[in-house]
């Protein structure tokens, strides 16, 4: 493996790298540095986050830049201000032994006047977000007429974020003769189009398969029902006692909600998203960097450019819409050769995306069981015991009161004392896991009892054309209002559903005269415990027999008449009928519903 010196870098630079702890080049550096040093050709580089690409493109530029000229010679475009700041900071560190080199970062959300002043003082290298760069070009504060290098960093992300026009505008004001370096983790059509339009016969390099991030990251997933997403997240955090990680969410709202819940539940967490001001972001990032908080809840965009190298975990609260973003997310951990874990919480609905990601990253996910309350409590107790053992006591601090306290506590045995200490520290956790049921994998059949929900049996099932959407419609219809519907289990000839307990009476009344596909519907409260659906089908002999009878006693005819009715209902819907597809309701229930909706 070559050294940085072997790649053609001068002592000034290699010494600075040594100080930064860069002992040997990463794969992308080994490929890109000699290529850029030795050739004026444009370059298309496939490189993921965390592979060391900042040094890969900036070191050869530092090597070749002309310090006798004060003109801006390199413009580096990056998708976010965090990343732009980070790149500028890295370059300054690489160039600490290069006297007179100026690097300026320009980005939105910060005072433009100061940035104009910085540019006036002379900037050999400018790192900018596309929007602010265009703004400064239009104000004639940033002149790109003598540009020798254009670097498009995380090009796919810039295009995802809608910077295409800005990039076009910037590239248009640069000279024809220049070297364009495009770094991207993925090459969708739009990135290829940029490469086609603005690059001439580019050289191509790829450090995709062997990047540090992917190699040292273990990918895990938890399959749970939708409403167990947050409780599962909590358990993952609880069980990983030394966690220092980012929880990724898809939207700002989701980010804020999850962070608020975690804070409320006593975790050291905070949120990072686009609605925060730059000052607020800086405060959050400072808390995270200094480990005052262990968990950062962030959107993909906000987390870009966060250069925290020792993250233990990345948790995908929900998977990103674009699978490419998963690579970016998981690349936040396992950096610079360290071990990392990337966790995904999925439901039955999105579990097939795990397979797609596996194909994309060429690695297998490990399915994990949600830790039981007992396990978590055990871990926390041991952790607390370790903490107590490690406490260093300064005798002097206690000298005044110790005897008195010791005398008072002597009435308790050693075991009683230990139990009370534990309780004092962990009461909240102990009682939480005492009350809460364990979370099983969401097989679509098993359920987790929620103490606030009431479970109901209904004598209709798949054979009657019932499906979850229709079940929701049916419940809302007969209840006359929209309520949270919990677990739904549709079996062959009967089904189960849950709604919040407070609506129990209304629901039973609402269903008094109900019919479904011409058959009277019977709804009963049930407390039936968690079982597999097949067993339950067997257990409910009455309903099963009814189903069997229907099928054997001219079942085909009945079934076809059922499906005719179904079709009839569907066309009702098309004519503006209610979308649950359920026939009729008695005058009584209609009156009741009207009354309710007017209340
Ligand atoms: P980047 O992909 O440029 O964001 O780099 C990812 C992380 O790896 C950063 O924290 C860099 O400081 C670090 N890094 C980059 N190159 C090396 C290297 N050759 N040796 C050790 N760490 C590196």
């Amino acid at each position: 493996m070559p050294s940085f010196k072997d790649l053609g870098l001068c002592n000034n630079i290699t010494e600075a790298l040594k100080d930064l702890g860069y002992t040997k080049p990463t794969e992308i550096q080994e490929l890109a540095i000699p290529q850029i040093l030795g050739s004026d050709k444009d370059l298309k580089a496939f490189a993921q986050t965390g592979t060391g690409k900042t040094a890969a493109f900036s070191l050869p530029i530092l090597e070749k830049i002309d310090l006798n000229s004060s003109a801006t010679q390199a413009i580096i475009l990056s998708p976010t201000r965090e990343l732009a700041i980070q790149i500028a900071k890295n370059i300054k560190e690489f160039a600490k032994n290069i006297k007179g080199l100026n690097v300026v970062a320009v980005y939105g959300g910060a005072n433009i006047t100061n940035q104009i002043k910085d540019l006036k003082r002379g900037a050999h290298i400018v790192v900018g977000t596309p929007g602010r760069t265009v703004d400064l070009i239009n104000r004639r504060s940033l002149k790109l007429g003598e540009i020798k290098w254009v670097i498009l960093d995380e090009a796919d992300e810039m295009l995802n974020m809608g910077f295409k026009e800005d990039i076009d505008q910037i590239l248009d004001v640069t000279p024809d003769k220049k070297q364009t370096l495009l770094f991207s983790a993925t090459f969708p059509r739009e990135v290829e189009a940029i490469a086609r339009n603005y690059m001439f016969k580019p050289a191509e390099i790829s450090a995709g398969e062997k990047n540090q991030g992917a190699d040292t990251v273990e990918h895990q997933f938890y399959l749970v029902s939708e409403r167990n997403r947050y409780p599962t997240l909590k358990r993952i955090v609880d069980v990983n006692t030394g966690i220092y990680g980012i929880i990724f969410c898809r939207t700002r709202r989701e980010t804020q909600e999850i962070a608020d819940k975690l804070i409320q539940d006593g975790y050291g967490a905070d949120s990072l998203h686009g609605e925060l001001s730059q000052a607020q972001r800086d405060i959050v990032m400072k808390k995270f960097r200094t480990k005052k908080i262990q968990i950062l809840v962030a959107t993909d965009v906000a987390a870009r450019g966060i250069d925290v190298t020792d993250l233990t975990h990345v948790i995908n609260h929900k998977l990103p819409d674009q699978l490419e973003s998963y690579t970016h997310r998981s690349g936040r951990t396992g950096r610079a050769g360290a071990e990392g874990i990337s966790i995904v919480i999925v439901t039955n609905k999105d579990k097939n995306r795990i397979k797609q990601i596996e194909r994309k990253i060429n690695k297998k996910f490990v399915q994990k069981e949600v830790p039981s309350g007992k396990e978590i409590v055990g871990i926390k107790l041991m952790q607390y015991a370790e903490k107590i053992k490690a406490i260093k006591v300064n005798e002097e601090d206690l000298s005044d009161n110790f005897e008195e306290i010791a005398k008072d506590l002597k009435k308790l045995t050693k075991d009683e004392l230990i139990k009370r200490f534990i309780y004092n520290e962990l009461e909240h956790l102990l009682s939480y896991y005492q009350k809460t049921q364990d979370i099983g994998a969401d097989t679509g059949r098993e359920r987790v009892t929620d103490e606030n929900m009431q479970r109901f049996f209904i004598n209709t099932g798949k054979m009657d054309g019932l499906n979850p959407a229709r079940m929701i419609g049916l419940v809302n219809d007969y209840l006359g209002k929209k309520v949270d519907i919990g677990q739904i289990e549709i079996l062959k000839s009967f089904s189960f559903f849950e709604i919040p307990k407070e609506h129990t009476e209304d629901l039973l009344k609402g269903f008094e005269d109900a019919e479904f596909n011409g058959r009277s519907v019977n709804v009963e409260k049930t407390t039936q415990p968690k079982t597999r659906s097949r067993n339950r089908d067997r257990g409910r002999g009455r309903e099963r027999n009814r189903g069997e009878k229907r099928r054997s006693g001219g079942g085909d005819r009945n079934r076809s008449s059922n499906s005719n009715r179904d079709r009839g209902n569907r066309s009702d819907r098309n004519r503006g009928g209610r979308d649950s597809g359920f026939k009729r309701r008695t005058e009584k229930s209609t009156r009741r519903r009207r009354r309710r909706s007017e209340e």
Side-chain angles (χ1 to χ4, degrees):
M1 152 125 4
S3 66
F4 281 111
K5 203 173 176 58
D6 297 336
L7 297 183
L9 298 171
C10 66
N11 280 347
N12 273 348
I13 294 176
T14 54
E15 286 303 311
L17 294 176
K18 213 187 275 168
D19 293 345
L20 288 170
Y22 289 23
T23 47
K24 50 184 184 342
T26 64
E27 192 192 7
I28 190 76
Q29 290 161 2
E30 200 182 317
L31 294 170
I33 293 171
Q35 169 67 32
I36 304 170
L37 279 178
S39 159
D40 290 339
K41 261 188 156 190
D42 292 339
L43 176 69
K44 250 168 84 178
F46 173 91
Q48 299 182 0
T49 323
T51 49
K53 61 189 165 50
T54 313
F57 60 71
S58 55
L59 296 178
I61 292 175
L62 286 176
E63 189 70 42
K64 289 172 98 177
I65 208 147
D66 178 6
L67 293 174
N68 294 320
S69 157
S70 60
T72 299
Q73 294 161 53
I75 172 89
I76 300 165
L77 295 177
S78 95
T80 66
R81 51 190 155 195
E82 283 79 10
L83 188 56
I85 293 169
Q86 189 57 44
I87 293 172
K89 181 172 163 270
N90 284 158
I91 296 179
K92 283 178 194 163
E93 287 167 346
F94 302 149
K96 72 172 187 180
N97 301 323
I98 305 176
K99 293 246 150 36
L101 181 99
N102 291 327
V103 184
V104 171
V106 296
Y107 44 86
N111 189 324
I112 198 164
T113 325
N114 291 342
Q115 293 176 358
I116 292 173
K117 275 189 206 150
D118 288 345
L119 290 174
K120 270 213 177 104
R121 269 186 234 119
H124 296 109
I125 301 175
V126 171
V127 191
T129 50
R132 179 55 62 95
T133 302
V134 167
D135 203 351
L136 287 162
I137 291 170
N138 291 341
R139 289 168 185 245
R140 299 184 192 286
S141 302
L142 177 59
K143 299 192 175 69
L144 300 184
E146 291 184 47
I147 281 292
K148 291 182 189 158
W149 298 278
V150 172
I151 297 97
L152 302 172
D153 191 22
E154 308 212 348
D156 50 352
E157 257 329 286
M158 285 200 281
L159 295 176
N160 270 344
M161 290 167 68
F163 286 134
K164 163 97 176 52
E165 274 180 26
D166 291 334
I167 294 173
D168 286 343
Q169 216 176 318
I170 297 163
L171 289 170
D172 274 349
V173 298
T174 57
D176 286 344
K177 189 171 166 349
K178 61 177 183 286
Q179 189 173 24
T180 303
L181 313 172
L182 184 149
F183 283 74
S184 200
T186 55
F187 278 83
R189 254 199 344 258
E190 299 79 1
V191 178
E192 290 294 356
I194 289 268
R196 250 195 332 274
N197 293 343
Y198 291 103
M199 298 170 92
F200 181 69
K201 292 191 179 165
E204 291 188 22
I205 56 175
S206 164
E209 301 284 293
K210 282 197 205 158
N211 76 79
Q212 296 165 332
D215 262 1
T216 52
V217 176
E218 182 178 327
H219 302 264
Q220 305 177 344
F221 77 95
Y222 292 83
L223 177 62
V224 296
S225 62
E226 185 59 48
R227 76 191 147 103
N228 278 323
R229 227 185 252 278
Y230 178 71
T232 300
L233 180 69
K234 254 172 71 130
R235 285 174 188 235
I236 294 170
V237 174
D238 279 338
V239 88
N240 290 289
T241 50
I243 191 168
Y244 179 52
I246 303 181
I247 297 175
F248 279 97
C249 297
R250 294 197 318 187
T251 62
R252 293 170 186 185
R253 201 162 141 214
E254 184 193 335
T255 306
Q256 195 60 53
E257 266 174 26
I258 297 298
D260 286 349
K261 277 190 192 171
L262 286 170
I263 295 166
Q264 212 167 32
D265 289 339
Y267 297 90
D270 214 333
S271 61
L272 194 74
H273 55 72
E275 254 159 48
L276 304 180
S277 69
Q278 187 59 37
Q280 286 171 318
R281 282 166 180 237
D282 291 345
I283 293 171
V284 173
M285 277 317 295
K286 191 165 174 208
K287 282 197 286 182
F288 190 53
R289 267 186 232 285
T290 54
K291 304 203 171 156
K292 293 226 162 50
I293 53 169
Q294 292 71 49
I295 297 163
L296 189 68
V297 190
T299 54
D300 291 274
V301 171
R304 291 272 119 162
I306 292 176
D307 188 44
V308 180
T309 38
D310 50 350
L311 291 183
T312 59
H313 291 77
V314 158
I315 304 177
N316 294 262
H317 176 253
K318 283 189 181 164
L319 277 174
D321 286 334
Q322 309 240 332
L323 286 187
E324 286 85 27
S325 301
Y326 177 80
T327 328
H328 288 293
R329 289 180 174 190
S330 59
R332 301 267 133 209
T333 183
R335 286 194 149 199
E339 303 273 306
I341 296 177
S342 174
I343 294 173
V344 180
I345 304 176
V346 280
T347 64
N348 253 319
K349 235 161 85 187
D350 51 2
K351 77 165 189 255
N352 64 333
R353 300 187 72 208
I354 292 287
K355 285 261 167 298
Q356 295 169 7
I357 298 175
E358 282 181 337
R359 276 196 294 273
K360 190 159 198 73
I361 62 174
N362 202 17
K363 280 194 109 183
K364 281 267 169 229
F365 271 78
V366 180
Q367 180 168 7
K368 304 288 279 186
E369 301 243 330
V370 182
S372 67
K374 219 170 161 182
E375 258 174 89
I376 295 168
V377 167
I379 290 171
K380 288 284 178 194
L381 286 177
M382 288 318 292
Q383 191 197 12
Y384 182 58
E386 289 304 319
K387 191 171 136 191
I388 294 281
K389 278 196 282 179
I391 290 176
K392 290 207 169 59
V393 176
N394 183 358
E395 301 290 341
E396 275 176 29
D397 293 345
L398 292 172
S399 59
D400 287 348
N401 316 85
F402 183 72
E403 283 206 6
E404 201 183 331
I405 294 172
K407 204 170 129 198
D408 197 30
L409 292 179
K410 258 203 183 110
K411 295 166 205 153
L412 301 170
T413 65
K414 187 177 155 197
D415 280 1
E416 281 170 340
L417 255 178
I418 294 173
K419 282 178 194 163
R420 280 171 164 77
F421 270 103
I422 291 173
Y423 235 77
N424 185 40
E425 177 80 11
L426 299 174
E427 184 181 2
H428 178 73
L429 187 91
L430 295 172
S431 68
Y432 173 77
Y433 283 116
Q434 196 84 52
K435 274 193 259 147
T436 326
Q437 291 223 0
D438 286 335
I439 299 172
D442 183 13
T443 59
R445 292 189 297 252
E446 285 173 326
R447 69 190 196 89
V448 180
T449 310
D450 182 327
E451 60 206 29
N452 300 318
M453 301 297 262
Q454 174 62 51
R455 189 167 169 78
F456 293 91
F457 158 83
I458 181 166
N459 65 334
T460 29
K462 272 186 207 143
M463 287 178 68
D464 308 290
L466 193 62
N467 60 30
R470 290 176 154 205
M471 174 74 96
I472 293 169
L474 180 65
V475 171
N476 286 335
D477 254 15
Y478 279 103
L479 198 53
K481 56 187 166 192
K482 277 201 167 164
V483 295
D484 256 1
I485 297 178
Q487 190 88 21
I488 293 176
E489 277 178 84
I490 312 275
L491 304 178
K492 211 180 287 171
S493 53
F494 58 94
S495 308
F496 296 91
F497 62 90
E498 290 175 347
I499 62 163
K501 272 187 176 152
E502 69 256 33
H503 304 297
T504 302
E505 291 312 311
D506 284 350
L507 184 106
L508 291 174
K509 270 200 203 116
F511 269 93
E512 267 169 14
D513 314 302
E515 287 177 7
F516 176 48
N517 282 346
R519 197 155 73 80
S520 94
V521 168
N522 170 32
V523 171
E524 294 164 24
K525 268 166 65 172
T526 174
T527 51
Q528 205 154 328
K530 185 163 99 176
T531 49
R532 296 227 158 229
S533 56
R534 236 178 303 131
N535 294 344
R536 191 174 286 146
D537 239 351
R538 232 174 272 138
R540 283 263 176 184
R542 185 169 57 96
E543 285 74 26
R544 184 175 165 82
N545 288 343
R546 194 186 298 162
E548 296 294 344
K549 234 190 283 161
R550 216 177 334 145
R551 242 176 313 151
S552 54
D556 280 343
R557 238 190 354 258
N558 280 344
R559 273 164 83 76
S560 74
S561 68
N562 268 352
S563 52
N564 282 338
R565 251 193 299 267
D566 258 4
R567 272 197 287 280
N569 284 335
R570 238 171 266 139
S571 54
D572 270 348
R573 269 209 307 279
N574 294 340
R575 290 197 300 267
R578 303 189 69 91
D579 73 347
S580 56
F582 299 107
K583 230 180 118 208
R584 93 352 12 229
R585 60 190 51 93
T586 62
E587 277 181 27
K588 201 167 114 199
S589 64
T590 311
R591 268 202 310 276
R592 193 165 42 233
R593 198 175 35 264
R594 273 204 204 110
R595 204 174 51 237
R596 274 195 204 116
S597 65
E598 283 160 13
E599 274 165 5

